Amino acid sequence: MASASFNRVLLKLSGEALMGDLDYGIDPAQIERIANQVGEVRGRDVEVAIVVGAGNIYRGLEGAAEGMDRATADYMGMLATVLNALTLQDALEKVGVDTRVLSAMAVTEVAEPYIRRRAIRHLQKGRSVIFAAGTGNPFFTTDTAAALRALEIHAEAILMAKNGVEGVYSADPSIDPDAEFLPEISHRQAIERGLRVMDSTALSLCMDNDLPIYVFNMADERNIDRIVSGERVGTLVSSKPATEPASGVRT
Ligand code: UDP
């Protein structure tokens, strides 16, 4: 087995990634697949931190659209990430991955509070950590939490799992048949072109701190292991502009 290219990565799992083919909620088979993939990477001695979203359960913007106060709705979204985090912890421990959930909101009966040094210590001791409740602040997303936590714990890269797409495209491939797959792109290009890698706050944070993002299709169960092995899979978003800019890319 080739040696791993990373020592520490942060895996961002959107709520959708936990949903599998369902329209809502958590697909146990999908969770098991994810747990197995994380288990494989752990087996290669790569430290894995995870940030989970909650789009499979609740999104603050949806509540706000229905007339709720946005901040209240966002706190509900953050609480929903705790449900996903606990589900994932359970699945990870079933496949032998010691896991701690660290939450940015106090839910002391079920998760530790987020303490940066503690998170790092868990990782050093071979435990995986799941960061729940996003950043702990409304008006943000779990993408921003992923960027923030990755920087805090000195992860070498964010592994951004997508549902059913191979990476980043020049347009939404489910709408535009001419959408072109982009194997490499810079953070700046992604922001300027409004490409949906992650939201712009999260992307800016990664750009300003030179943090690479590997965007990949979660449906292929080998992908996480391949990325960790240094194989080129999906789209790499880094500070390096694409060498051959796709049409319309401003460098
Ligand atoms: N959220 C928030 N602050 C954060 C992270 C998340 O308010 O730092 C809320 C927000 O309402 C968001 C919801 O939690 O809609 C779920 O997170 P997100 O939409 O990022 O989940 P994903 O799209 O990754 O499934």
Side-chain angles (χ1 to χ4, degrees):
M1 192 186 283
S3 66
S5 299
F6 299 102
N7 295 315
R8 183 177 291 167
V9 294
L10 186 138
L11 174 65
K12 165 68 208 296
L13 295 170
S14 65
E16 274 183 17
L18 313 185
M19 214 160 61
D21 294 329
L22 306 179
D23 294 328
Y24 174 85
I26 298 167
D27 175 4
Q30 174 74 355
I31 297 281
E32 198 183 315
R33 280 194 288 273
I34 294 171
N36 284 326
Q37 290 173 65
V38 174
E40 269 175 42
V41 176
R42 278 298 307 129
R44 306 184 59 176
D45 260 354
V46 178
E47 296 172 4
V48 184
I50 301 172
V51 167
V52 271
N56 58 326
I57 303 174
Y58 192 79
R59 277 207 174 88
L61 275 177
E62 287 163 15
E66 284 162 12
M68 273 191 80
D69 180 88
R70 167 77 191 270
T72 305
D74 277 343
Y75 278 112
M76 289 168 63
M78 285 186 268
L79 287 173
T81 69
V82 179
L83 304 184
N84 283 335
L86 294 179
T87 310
L88 205 53
Q89 178 182 37
D90 184 78
L92 285 169
E93 299 220 309
K94 281 204 177 90
V95 296
V97 179
D98 269 355
T99 307
R100 299 288 184 270
V101 177
L102 279 70
S103 173
M105 283 171 73
V107 279
T108 41
E109 283 78 2
V110 292
E112 297 176 13
Y114 172 70
I115 298 170
R116 188 182 80 93
R117 283 172 172 274
R118 199 155 176 178
I120 292 172
R121 190 79 192 117
H122 284 317
L123 290 166
Q124 288 168 341
K125 285 190 165 176
R127 299 172 189 136
S128 284
V129 293
I130 304 175
F131 297 124
T135 64
N137 299 295
F139 300 98
F140 288 94
T141 63
T142 54
D143 285 354
T144 301
L148 179 66
R149 297 296 186 234
L151 291 167
E152 287 188 80
I153 63 168
H154 306 297
E156 294 149 88
I158 296 183
L159 274 47
M160 188 86 191
K162 293 280 176 187
N163 217 14
V165 288
E166 296 304 323
V168 181
Y169 294 75
S170 57
D172 185 343
S174 65
I175 299 170
D176 184 348
D178 294 329
E180 189 191 338
F181 174 71
L182 307 170
E184 269 180 42
I185 189 162
S186 71
H187 302 102
R188 186 175 301 282
Q189 287 169 330
I191 293 170
E192 285 179 357
R193 296 184 72 187
L195 301 179
R196 288 166 49 193
V197 181
M198 35 168 62
D199 65 77
S200 58
T201 309
L203 254 178
S204 304
L205 202 51
C206 293
M207 179 176 75
D208 292 347
N209 294 282
D210 206 2
L211 180 64
I213 310 160
Y214 292 81
V215 187
F216 68 99
N217 190 353
M218 195 70 209
D220 187 331
E221 290 178 37
R222 296 161 303 171
N223 275 349
I224 298 181
D225 193 57
R226 285 156 112 186
I227 295 170
V228 163
S229 306
E231 251 184 75
R232 278 309 321 279
V233 173
T235 299
L236 169 60
V237 185
S238 71
S239 51
K240 193 171 140 264
T243 35
E244 284 177 55
S247 51
V249 176
R250 281 175 285 156
T251 52

